[in-house]
Structures are given as C-alpha cells and as structure tokens.
Amino acid sequence: MRQKLKIPRIIKIEKIDGFVIQCMFNNGESRLLDFKKIFNKWNVSSDDLEYKLLDLKEFKKVNLRNFTLSWSNIEIEIKNEIGQIEKYPYEIGPDVLFQLSEQMDSNDIKLGSIIKSARLKAGLTQEQLAMRSGTTRFYISRIENNKTDVEMSTFRKIIEAGLGKQLKLIIE
C-alpha cells in the first residue's frame, strides 16, 4: 500500500504582488508568503544572502524549482566532498515556507456547503440522503461540516443518487 507523504511542497506560484507571493501547496491550499515580514523576522542585513532580495526587481526573479521558491540570481557556493566549489540557486525549503506562510481567507467552494444546501432544499434529512446515496449519516455530516474530503465518485453518488440531480463539472 502506498503511503501518503505529508511533506509540504509548492506546486504553483499563483501571484506575485510586491514582496508577497501567493503559492498553491500540494495539500490544495493557497497560502501567502509576505517576504517583507519574513525578512524583518529574520533581521536580514547587508551581510546576508537574502539582502539582495530586498530589491523588488531582484525579488521578482523568483521561480519554482524542486517544489520550492528559487532565485537563480543569487548563488550559493558549497564545497562538495572532493573540495570543489559547486554553485546552486538560493532556495528556501518548502517546509519552512509552509510554516512562514499564512492561509488565505478561503473563497474556495466548500463541497459540504453545496451538499447541505441542496439537501435542505430537497427537504431531506442527513439520514435520508445517506440511505439514498449508500453512505452513512455520520459521513454526510462530516462532509457538510467540511471535516473530511470527499472523493469525486462519492460526490457523484450523493448528488445523482442521493439528491436526484445531475452533476456537471466545468473547468474554465
């Protein structure tokens, strides 16, 4: 059985606004990294590698590499095992970035809210919806309260068999 790794990874840079980067992590969350706050917290001074990133033009040269933020305009020199100098771009580990980030106010559509609204509109109890869709009242409650994720196949069963509606998914 394949084990799920819970190591945070950045899978997309969604937006850069000044020194704030909005990233999507592999858990599906969009999170904000405010580097003005981060550099202030780190007490970045002219002696530090990050100092160059206080220049907005240099800061915006960020890209996604190895599931983290990377600045190839800042090089780190590291001696390898045979004493040779190797150069790498400046990167901050995604686990550190996740801890430093702030979760965005969620404008995400919560599937549980959609199900609950449709269930109430149809005049069904959680128990009735569970029976019709082949799940349990406890599971319907957890979905409606956004306490658990729902697989697409289960979501389809709840919508089509449980609520008697047609599921349409549009990606624009």
Side-chain angles (χ1 to χ4, degrees):
M1 185 171 169
R2 218 166 89 188
Q3 187 177 10
K4 286 186 181 182
L5 297 178
K6 299 204 180 209
I7 301 168
R9 300 279 189 243
I10 296 172
I11 58 174
K12 182 180 179 188
I13 295 174
E14 296 178 301
K15 184 170 131 182
I16 301 172
D17 184 14
F19 288 97
V20 178
I21 300 177
Q22 178 181 330
C23 299
M24 180 186 293
F25 280 81
N26 59 338
N27 66 355
E29 290 180 14
S30 287
R31 299 183 69 90
L32 294 176
L33 287 151
D34 184 338
F35 279 90
K36 280 284 192 189
K37 287 182 185 176
I38 293 168
F39 292 155
N40 189 37
K41 181 179 179 178
W42 289 353
N43 296 316
V44 172
S45 69
S46 58
D47 297 333
D48 298 313
L49 283 169
E50 296 87 358
Y51 186 75
K52 190 174 181 181
L53 296 177
L54 293 174
D55 175 352
L56 190 57
K57 185 178 174 185
E58 295 300 316
F59 178 81
K60 287 191 172 190
K61 292 180 182 177
V62 65
N63 61 30
L64 190 60
R65 179 178 178 269
N66 296 327
F67 300 104
T68 194
L69 300 181
S70 178
W71 286 268
S72 57
N73 53 320
I74 298 178
E75 289 185 330
I76 296 177
E77 295 182 353
I78 299 174
K79 250 185 209 181
N80 65 18
E81 62 276 354
I82 58 172
Q84 295 174 322
I85 300 288
E86 294 182 2
K87 295 182 180 185
Y88 296 94
Y90 176 76
E91 296 178 345
I92 305 170
D95 53 336
V96 172
L97 291 172
F98 187 84
Q99 290 173 351
L100 293 170
S101 66
E102 299 171 13
Q103 187 171 8
M104 294 182 57
D105 291 336
S106 182
N107 290 331
D108 295 343
I109 297 170
K110 300 288 186 193
L111 296 180
S113 301
I114 293 170
I115 291 171
K116 183 175 183 176
S117 176
R119 176 181 62 78
L120 293 173
K121 190 174 180 181
L124 296 173
T125 65
Q126 288 180 341
E127 184 69 38
Q128 290 168 324
L129 179 58
M131 291 285 290
R132 289 179 173 194
S133 58
T135 63
T136 65
R137 188 209 54 79
F138 178 73
Y139 185 61
I140 295 294
S141 175
R142 290 196 43 83
I143 293 170
E144 287 186 355
N145 290 295
N146 299 305
K147 300 290 184 197
T148 190
D149 289 334
V150 60
E151 290 185 13
M152 184 57 80
S153 60
T154 305
F155 185 62
R156 183 172 169 250
K157 281 191 320 182
I158 293 168
I159 299 302
E160 294 185 2
L163 295 168
K165 304 288 183 187
Q166 184 179 5
L167 177 64
K168 292 182 181 181
L169 180 63
I170 298 171
I171 300 173
E172 296 179 330

